[in-house]
Amino acid sequence: MPIPTTIWLHGANEHEPAKSIYFRDQFVRQCHGWDWRMPVEFYEYRSQFLQRVTMMVLILAYAAVLCSFASGMLALLINQRTSVHALLERVPIQRGGRDWLDDCLTESRYPLRLKQAVFIVLGLSGLLAVLAGIAVLNSQSAFTDQIGLGLPWLPWHVRFDSLSGFFFLIVGIAVVAVSIYGPGYVEAYQEEKHPFAVLGLFTGLFVAGMLLVLLADDAFFFMIAWELMSVASYFLVAFQHENPANRRAAFLYLLMAEVGALAIILGFGVLASFADGLTFDALRQANLSTTWASIAFVLALLGFGMKAGIVPIHVWLPEAHPVAPSHISALMSGVMLKVAVYGLIRFCFDLLTDVHWQWGVVLLVLGTISALGGILYAMMQPNLKRLLAYSSVENIGIIFMVLGLAMIFMANGFPQLAALGLLAALFHAFNHALFKNLLFLGAGILQHQIHSLDIDCMGGLIKRMPQTSFLFLIGCMSISSLPLFNGFVSEWLAFQTALQVDVLDNGVLRSLIPVSAAALALTAALAAACFVKVFGMIFLGLPRSRHSEKAQEVDDKGMLLALKLLAGLCFFFGIFPTLIIAALNNVAKQLIGQTLPNDTLQSWMWLAPVSAQKASYSPILVLVGVLIACAFTFWYLRRNPDTKTMRRAATWDCGFGGLNARMQYSCSAFTMPFRRIFAKVWLIDEQIDKDMQGALDMDVSSIRYRLQVEDHCWPRLYQPIAHGINSAARLVGRIQTGNIRVYLGYSFVTLIIMLWVVSL
Amino acid sequence: MNWLLAIVQTLLFVALAPLLSGWLKWCKCHLQNRKAPSLLQPYRDLMKLIRKQPVVAEHASWIFTRSPYIIFSAMVLAASVVPLIAVDLPTAASADVIVLVGFFAFARFFLALAGLDIGTAFGGMGSSREMTISSLAEPAMLMAVFTLTMTASTTNLSLAIAHVLNEGLVLRPSFVFAMFALILVAIAETGRVPVDNPTTHLELTMIHEAMILEYSGRHLALIEWASQLKLMLYGVLIANIFWPWGIAQNFSIHALGYGLLAISGKLAALAVFLSISETLVAKMRLFRVQEYLSFAYLLGLLGMLSHIILEASR
């Protein structure tokens, strides 16, 4: 029975559905001559349909999780060729299929085919996650379910709503890109040193863990999924464990992840002690005093912030991200940090129903510090992946800032502005996932081709790797928030949120928010400078090392395709941001019960989040304008055939001759002005050693320059903590005499005390 | 009709930009007891450059050869957003003042990349310094602009200017602070004395010129024109935000003509002030620029705070 979709939606909103359906029915029949009515059947059909949708959306989500598990399990088969062969012998398959299978199972082909299969299944998981996310965002409702796993009295509760759906979308897109990229990238690993089984298994578990976190609807399940995600990613960070530095980074990561997890557990514990049960529904009902709610908030902020990497608890991030394989760092930086953001949003906006503006201020200040600190530290890094990791700290800072704004507006009774802030934060999370993935995967290609991540060893790659360089440029432009790209839109929305400060009464907030907006502007400008440096040093100028002189474009199509996909999305959502904003409106509606005013969505061309009188931006018009201006000048200035071709000539060398690559500006030279202006931000150790020669020891024969730039956090925060723990351990150590009689005495005394306590 | 007028205004903007720098040069020459070139000299220079075949450094990539077009287009787009002779034009809605800052960032991004592309020390030096100065100037500029947008409660430039017009002449302390902040930023961003000297080629001091040292022919013409446009954009921003009187509020020929006259007068006066200050002030050391720009930022902040404390309606 063909039923137009519009009628279902119409029927859902009406108080007198039969009547309205009847009128619609009349109208439709008059127009099209269709022969159907019977509203009763229609309603049955509709409820059946909705049930089916519920099933379908959840099945999609489950399938995504199962696929990621399956890809992990599949990876374990890498060394089991004979067993797989024996198993498949028994399965009846048609002749053509059998030949193909036999071909795949030959000793030389098997590893390659299996790796491809693992990544195809992983990609399928990503695709299903995207579909599930889109489906739930469109349906605008929440789907709940229970799985009979877990504790006997507490089955795993599952809830799949718009917020989860949106993060499913983020995870899905990233996983699809990574699985297109993966096969080409992992080829470089030698099986003996870096077994694929480990990589594939933990990648699958990692993705599954992230998806399960998004699905969890009780604290117990949430923590299990969270730990699955953390521990699986620990093994991925430790994948190249032959290097002691990598082992240290992985341990630091594990340590901080667990401390964070403890904080989250305590946060849930505070909530649970006021509620009956561990399900999120029960936690929502919990009636907390302001003090306890604030304690829960601080614990959640500590736990999720540690995972998200806000300053000063970001130190694991720049250590762990560079040492993981590039596609894993892309997932960790692009997606896992977002899962932490999801956790914070779920905890603060959903579970703790009343937010307080003081929390918003905390988030705003921490976010501002993270954003500025992150980008300033990023600027000084010579290692590309380390730089990108620090830039993630910056972007997470921006997200936290805008979340803080949303909280402030929410607590002051402006849910519409809170919706705007939440929307800007989520949109930035989405954008950051896209362009940071793009840049990390690009960094992976560079590492693959040049065998180094040191920016000072690169240069001139734009001619040798034209495609990679172009795609990387798009990533750099997006992250520098230039107009026409997606990064700009979310930053624009963030500014728009901050500029609505006029509605607030509190004088402190009214002056704090504009200052943080200016800090955001400084962050954006510094990010642009940082990524000019990155692109300029890596791709432009003359090659600075032999490797980059001989570099070639990567020949694996998949690796480039993944970059193209992400770059295309960066541009697409920069031009058509309203698509995402429409989806995000549903999230805001579900979370804080408010959406943006409707005129945002009336047209795909205009972005006017508050109202057209307040602010508007039309990326498509800007694009058309740029194209016209560019095309016209390009055509007009090159009309004359005599001067159309350019003449190539030697670069001007001031008449001295012998211009070489070492005379270019280097990474540390480019950032020297910043180092001087913001000197207090880093711990700078700069040494210049000169060797003298000649009769009076006055001529310089050679000169060495050493620069070390370090984070303030280590000596100021972590070393005292480590010191304190060590001395505490030494104190406790005094009672450990090593003498069995003393230990028996301890047991005896303990027993006496316990008995005494019991008998009281 | 409105769109046509918007396009005409943009073209007028682009066409008048060289005249403004010609006038500026003329004023400066007279103040410094030199013989002034004709007012039309910038046009002649541009024509000459456009006619010449460009010579490109051997290691340059497409970034270097395409950047001038991108930079010029970004500036033209910026010009289409800023109200010159009339408010309430449709292009102003397509991009607000934050996007305008974005256009400047776009142009600067490519200019800095082009400086790094040729692989010389000069290019890198210019790029590094340009990015440093601009990243300090951008927050100061936004701070000044936010003062305006919060007063008018819109970031749409055209509407904000209309708001100031409707308010009439009110002495707002926040506007005074914001104006001075914006003037300081404008001087830094357009590469004028005391931050940068557009006429120097001394390696210790040059910023803008260092980046474009390798450009020639039509590429150089486009970049020169773009920087003239940028100068005029900042001029028009200062003139029309803080003294919008005279700008056309309807599209009658009379009003438009009056608007054109008004903006010409305002820009000419601003250029006279700029040339006097350039004659009187010496260029400062590169690492004094941060103090200069943080002063601009401070002014912007003071403007914002005085708006919040003294003027806000609540």
Side-chain angles (χ1 to χ4, degrees), chain A residues 344-425:
Chain A
L344 190 74
I345 294 176
R346 177 67 80 196
F347 199 95
C348 296
F349 285 88
D350 195 8
L351 300 187
L352 292 169
T353 27
D354 301 331
V355 294
H356 298 274
W357 64 265
Q358 289 90 341
W359 305 352
V361 173
V362 171
L363 276 188
L364 186 70
V365 171
L366 276 179
T368 311
I369 294 172
S370 300
L372 274 176
I375 195 64
L376 284 170
Y377 288 137
M379 207 170 248
M380 292 302 142
Q381 304 305 321
N383 178 314
L384 178 57
K385 274 167 84 176
R386 229 177 131 83
L387 184 151
L388 291 177
Y390 268 120
S391 135
S392 291
V393 174
E394 174 229 331
N395 280 288
I396 290 289
I398 294 176
I399 295 172
F400 271 52
M401 261 170 101
V402 193
L403 275 181
L405 286 177
M407 236 176 226
I408 290 172
F409 283 124
M410 181 92 177
N412 279 297
F414 299 99
Q416 214 163 50
L417 295 178
L420 176 63
L422 187 71
L423 206 136

Side-chain angles (χ1 to χ4, degrees), chain B residues 149-166:
Chain B
T149 58
M150 281 174 71
T151 310
S153 70
T154 170
T155 54
N156 183 322
L157 260 180
S158 179
L159 292 176
I161 289 173
H163 176 88
V164 177
L165 267 180
N166 292 341

Side-chain angles (χ1 to χ4, degrees), chain A residues 462-463 470 473 476-477 480 482-483 485 488 492 495-496 499 501-505 510-511 514-515 517-518 521-522 525-526 528-529 532 535-537 540-542 606 612-618 621-622 625-626 629-630 633-634 637-638 642-652 654 659 663-665 669-670 672-674 676-678, chain B residues 3 50-63 65-66 69-70 72-73 76-77 93-96 98-99 102-103 105-106 109-110 112-113 116-122 124-125 127-128 131-132 134-136 138-139 142-143 146 149-150 153-156 159 213-214 218-219 222 285 287 290 297 301 304-305 307-308 312 314:
Chain A
I462 194 165
K463 289 186 213 108
F470 182 71
L473 178 64
C476 287
M477 286 162 78
S480 314
L482 299 186
F485 293 90
F488 180 76
W492 188 80
F495 277 125
Q496 294 299 346
L499 284 178
V501 63
D502 252 356
V503 299
L504 298 176
D505 288 326
R510 288 166 65 97
S511 39
V515 173
L522 178 61
L526 289 172
V532 161
F535 191 81
M537 295 299 149
L540 304 179
L542 304 175
W606 294 93
Q613 272 73 48
K614 287 244 181 198
S616 55
Y617 168 45
S618 168
L621 281 183
V622 170
V626 166
C630 250
T633 41
F634 197 66
L637 294 181
R638 289 156 44 101
D642 293 341
T643 60
K644 188 174 173 181
T645 52
M646 293 170 284
R647 188 158 65 82
R648 292 271 171 177
T651 316
W652 190 59
C654 303
L659 206 61
M663 295 178 187
Q664 299 176 87
Y665 250 48
F670 189 90
M672 192 282 255
F674 294 98
R676 195 151 163 182
I677 292 172
F678 298 100
Chain B
W3 281 98
I50 285 172
R51 274 200 300 273
K52 284 193 167 184
Q53 184 190 25
V55 183
V56 174
E58 53 195 351
H59 300 298
S61 69
W62 65 266
I63 294 271
T65 53
R66 295 290 179 267
Y69 299 99
I70 297 173
F72 185 71
S73 307
V76 171
L77 257 277
S94 70
D96 66 356
I98 302 172
V99 187
F103 287 143
F106 205 105
F109 190 86
F110 274 93
L113 284 186
L116 288 169
D117 192 21
I118 39 179
T120 63
F122 278 126
M125 187 173 74
S127 303
S128 162
M131 292 319 282
T132 311
S134 65
S135 56
L136 295 175
E138 212 173 284
L142 276 177
M143 218 54 196
F146 285 167
T149 58
M150 281 174 71
S153 70
T154 170
T155 54
N156 183 322
L159 292 176
L213 207 55
E214 283 292 325
R218 56 173 175 265
H219 299 149
L222 281 176
R285 268 171 53 218
F287 286 101
Q290 44 171 321
Y297 176 75
L301 191 67
M304 173 69 79
L305 290 179
H307 165 73
I308 285 167
R314 272 162 181 268

Side-chain angles (χ1 to χ4, degrees), chain A residues 414-462:
Chain A
F414 299 99
Q416 214 163 50
L417 295 178
L420 176 63
L422 187 71
L423 206 136
L426 289 175
F427 197 10
H428 197 74
F430 179 78
N431 292 338
H432 180 241
L434 289 182
F435 53 62
K436 194 44 72 65
N437 257 14
L438 172 60
L439 291 172
F440 262 115
L441 296 183
I445 289 189
L446 292 174
Q447 191 178 17
H448 197 262
Q449 301 302 101
I450 301 171
H451 311 291
S452 163
L453 280 170
D454 190 354
I455 297 176
D456 275 332
C457 288
M458 301 184 191
L461 293 176
I462 194 165

Side-chain angles (χ1 to χ4, degrees), chain B residues 19 48 58 83 111 115 135 202 207 209 259 272 300:
Chain B
L19 186 65
K48 178 189 77 186
E58 53 195 351
L111 192 59
S135 56
L202 188 66
I207 300 171
E209 292 296 315
V272 171

